[in-house]
Amino acid sequence: MALLKDRVAIITGGSRGIGRAIVSSFAKEGALCAFTFSSSSKEAEALSTELKAMGSRVMCERVDVRDYEGVKEFVEKVKEEFGGLDILVNNAGINKDKSIIMMTHEDWQDVIDVNLTGVFNFTKACIVTFLKQKSGCIINMSSVSGLSPLPGQASYASAKSGVIGLTKALAREVAPYNVRVNAIAPGFIETDMVKSLNENYRKKILDLIPFKRLGTTEEVAQGCVYLASDYASYITGQVLTIDGGLSI
Ligand code: NAD
């Protein structure tokens, strides 16, 4: 049974990494996927072509999550093209980890703008549709860094714990309209964001993870499928941690 049959989903940052796995998993579960990307247009086109060949309905567009006007235009286009909107996955994110002494105001602002204000922008552009139809589901990508950060993560941890605050506040606000809002907090997942870690640091991280391995993008995507599906119909305002036990 396809868990997301005919649901229309927007996934931000869907061209690579965790976002790509979410788009693929949602499409396999029968969803109509509209995803955004910021720079990887070739990867986005390749994913779109691959899924269309499997019979899925997919659209993708370059949208900067910081640009509210562009975000609104994209959401309207998706609703027109796919005839509705059921799920929003706020996945796009960046990190610029460095000590507070080295962190510039620009570094700080970029991380807050993409990871936190980007979530606000897409949420604001979708929420009236969800409230009017009295159904909808929002999944926000936080991080274990938003729960228990490592040194050098002042901006990233602030943004990601902000995402958890936004998730919980909004979950209370929109629950009377049957709209669910949850967050996912991945630990260390094998993606471009984590590949840049040096070998020494990687070893230290593996030591801290009870499973002694990094997570896969598919493992995060499956959590996302679950939260988006009817199996999670009584779950809102929660943070699903997918981290191999790191935060125990
Ligand atoms: P990634 O760098 O592989 O992909 C990030 C995606 O965000 C890309 O598709 C990129 O195009 C998009 N993006 C970046 N800036 C954007 C902008 N201004 N506008 C629109 N899109 C933009 O990263 P990933 O590892 O797949 O991470 C995905 C999400 O998961 C992020 O929110 C990240 O913070 C979070 N996360 C990742 C890990 C990990 O270990 N990889 C751990 C915890 C949380």
Side-chain angles (χ1 to χ4, degrees), residues 117-134:
T117 310
V119 174
F120 173 73
N121 284 342
F122 258 96
T123 301
K124 196 162 166 58
C126 296
I127 199 71
V128 173
T129 303
F130 291 161
L131 296 179
K132 275 190 184 159
Q133 70 196 18
K134 289 206 163 49

Side-chain angles (χ1 to χ4, degrees), residues 12-20 36-40 63-66 90-95 114-115 141-145 156 160 184-194 217:
T12 68
S15 57
R16 56 173 212 247
I18 293 171
R20 187 182 203 283
T36 69
F37 58 92
S38 61
S39 55
S40 345
V63 180
D64 190 326
V65 296
R66 296 170 294 188
N90 283 307
N91 165 76
I94 56 166
N95 65 353
V114 175
N115 293 287
M141 206 52 73
S142 180
S143 165
V144 283
S145 307
Y156 189 67
K160 292 302 191 184
I184 293 183
F188 286 91
I189 309 300
E190 195 78 64
T191 64
D192 291 349
M193 204 179 249
V194 165
T217 55

Side-chain angles (χ1 to χ4, degrees), residues 26 47 71 86 88 103 114 133 135 139 160 181 192:
F26 274 32
L47 177 61
V71 168
D86 304 291
L88 167 65
M103 192 177 286
V114 175
Q133 70 196 18
S135 73
I139 299 168
K160 292 302 191 184
V181 191
D192 291 349

Side-chain angles (χ1 to χ4, degrees), residues 59-147:
M59 60 186 277
C60 66
E61 201 167 294
R62 186 190 302 273
V63 180
D64 190 326
V65 296
R66 296 170 294 188
D67 167 24
Y68 184 51
E69 290 307 314
V71 168
K72 277 196 297 188
E73 257 175 50
F74 178 71
V75 171
E76 289 312 308
K77 207 183 278 181
V78 173
K79 288 195 300 186
E80 213 174 287
E81 183 111 352
F82 285 164
L85 181 61
D86 304 291
I87 303 162
L88 167 65
V89 182
N90 283 307
N91 165 76
I94 56 166
N95 65 353
K96 292 192 173 182
D97 291 358
K98 47 184 84 160
S99 67
I100 198 90
I101 289 171
M102 301 305 291
M103 192 177 286
T104 63
H105 281 80
E106 197 187 349
D107 292 331
W108 167 270
Q109 202 59 54
D110 281 352
V111 171
I112 299 294
D113 285 350
V114 175
N115 293 287
L116 184 54
T117 310
V119 174
F120 173 73
N121 284 342
F122 258 96
T123 301
K124 196 162 166 58
C126 296
I127 199 71
V128 173
T129 303
F130 291 161
L131 296 179
K132 275 190 184 159
Q133 70 196 18
K134 289 206 163 49
S135 73
C137 167
I138 301 175
I139 299 168
N140 296 326
M141 206 52 73
S142 180
S143 165
V144 283
S145 307
L147 299 165

